[in-house]
């Protein structure tokens, strides 16, 4: 049976989670780049999930809005981009709204499932990496880490590192041949974030790599994630799941389907039978 299940929601969000939800002990949010959607990185999330079977991946899709740099064309974007130069990078209309959205995703995982902030990571590619850096270092609570792929620091004048977050591990991968977000922007971002107080910012560059990722970089991302999110968690942490006995028949059927137990539910009629099946699954007795 697969160790993870991929589900798609109506708002464009994709979730890759452990097939047995009770095994989750960490969460990673991956934000896509300009003009893309959550579909752009679902294959990466599924690959990482195969190596990190205790991690739930959340891939949101940015709202569609006009982007000045692209002649005002409307596309999925976390904020408006006026230009690629450092001065234009100060104008990021919409970034605060996207920052709040990411913060809510983290808060929901913490409050609804009990996932500690130090068991969550923000990650992203290009504009999504920029948003992850901008948001992750300004939270009220410290994350396990931040992953930036081909990204940069946006709206530097409005960026500050929250007290207590200075040693948050930041891993930044960047192609040396990137024609869009040039390597100079990566170096400047590292220097600027360190000047704001960050003490653990790693920048790794890849010769010949353009504005993209490659297997070597994804392998390095995996190594970083395994370091900051090892199996298990601190103390006796377990996510808070609704007890099967407290679920409606509709909720039970949904959970059973997500767990890939549909064939075992054929012929079941009574709520108690669905409860028993899901409970056995969570207890590892199937």
């Amino acid at each position: 049976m697969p160790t993870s299940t991929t589900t798609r929601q109506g708002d464009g969000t994709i979730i890759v989670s452990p097939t047995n939800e009770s095994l989750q002990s960490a969460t990673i949010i991956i934000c896509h780049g300009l003009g893309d959607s959550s579909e752009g990185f679902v294959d990466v999330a599924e690959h990482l999930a195969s190596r990190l079977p205790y991690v739930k991946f959340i891939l949101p899709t940015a709202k569609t809005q006009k982007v000045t740099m692209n002649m005002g064309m409307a596309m999925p974007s976390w904020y408006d981009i006026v230009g690629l130069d450092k001065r234009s990078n100060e104008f990021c209309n919409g970034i605060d709204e996207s920052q709040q959205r990411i913060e809510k995703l983290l808060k929901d995982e913490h409050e609804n499932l009990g996932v500690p902030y130090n068991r969550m990571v923000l990650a992203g590619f290009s504009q999504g990496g920029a948003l992850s850096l901008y948001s992750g270092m300004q939270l009220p609570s410290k994350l396990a880490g931040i992953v930036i792929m081909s990204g940069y620091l946006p709206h530097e004048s409005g960026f500050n590192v929250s007290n207590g977050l200075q040693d948050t591990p930041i891993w930044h991968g960047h192609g040396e041949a990137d024609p869009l977000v040039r390597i100079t922007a990566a170096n400047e971002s590292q220097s600027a974030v360190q000047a704001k107080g960050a003490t653990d910012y790693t920048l790794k560059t890849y010769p010949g790599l353009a504005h993209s990722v490659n297997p070597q970089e994804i392998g390095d991302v995996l190594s970083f994630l395994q370091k900051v999110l090892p199996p298990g968690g601190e103390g006796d942490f377990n996510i808070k799941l609704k007890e099967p006995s407290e679920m409606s028949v509709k909720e039970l059927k949904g959970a059973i389907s997500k767990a890939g137990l549909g064939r075992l539910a054929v012929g079941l009629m009574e709520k108690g039978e669905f409860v028993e099946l899901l409970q056995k699954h969570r207890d590892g007795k199937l």
Side-chain angles (χ1 to χ4, degrees), residues 35 56 63 72 74 80 106-107 122 136-137 139 181 241-242 254:
K56 173 183 178 181
K63 75 174 186 179
D80 187 27
L106 294 167
K107 184 178 180 180
L122 275 183
M137 295 301 286
L139 291 167
V181 183
L241 290 175
K242 194 171 184 179

Side-chain angles (χ1 to χ4, degrees), residues 97-266:
E97 179 182 346
S98 291
Q99 179 185 12
Q100 291 170 9
R101 181 178 172 191
I102 297 304
E103 288 181 359
K104 186 178 185 306
L105 289 174
L106 294 167
K107 184 178 180 180
D108 287 348
E109 285 292 294
H110 177 65
E111 294 186 351
N112 298 338
L113 295 179
V115 183
Y117 279 89
N118 63 8
R119 291 291 293 173
M120 293 191 275
V121 166
L122 275 183
F125 174 76
S126 192
Q127 189 192 43
L131 177 64
S132 296
L133 174 60
Y134 186 84
S135 302
M137 295 301 286
Q138 300 192 91
L139 291 167
S141 300
K142 180 181 172 183
L143 297 175
I146 297 171
V147 173
I148 311 157
M149 294 168 280
S150 304
Y152 57 93
L153 175 64
H155 191 33
E156 182 181 336
S157 64
F159 174 82
N160 289 290
V161 176
S162 296
N163 187 39
L165 271 62
Q166 290 87 349
D167 61 344
T168 301
I170 303 170
W171 188 90
H172 184 162
H174 214 100
E176 294 180 8
D178 193 329
L180 295 179
V181 183
R182 298 185 181 279
I183 193 65
T184 52
N187 289 318
E188 290 172 353
S189 294
Q190 181 187 39
S191 297
V193 175
Q194 289 175 331
K196 297 281 188 174
T199 60
D200 189 1
Y201 193 127
T202 300
L203 173 60
K204 181 167 184 179
T205 62
Y206 298 86
L209 181 63
H211 194 62
S212 182
V213 297
N214 61 18
Q216 181 185 355
E217 182 176 5
I218 297 302
D220 291 336
V221 168
L222 175 61
S223 295
F224 174 78
L225 294 174
Q226 290 172 324
K227 178 181 178 181
V228 300
L229 290 176
E234 294 186 3
D236 297 320
F237 161 68
N238 287 297
I239 64 168
K240 298 182 295 186
L241 290 175
K242 194 171 184 179
E243 290 295 325
S245 60
E246 298 175 356
M247 299 169 72
S248 67
V249 173
K250 182 178 180 181
E251 289 174 323
L252 286 165
K253 289 182 177 180
I256 288 171
S257 176
K258 181 180 178 181
L261 304 173
R263 61 182 180 81
L264 297 180
V266 175

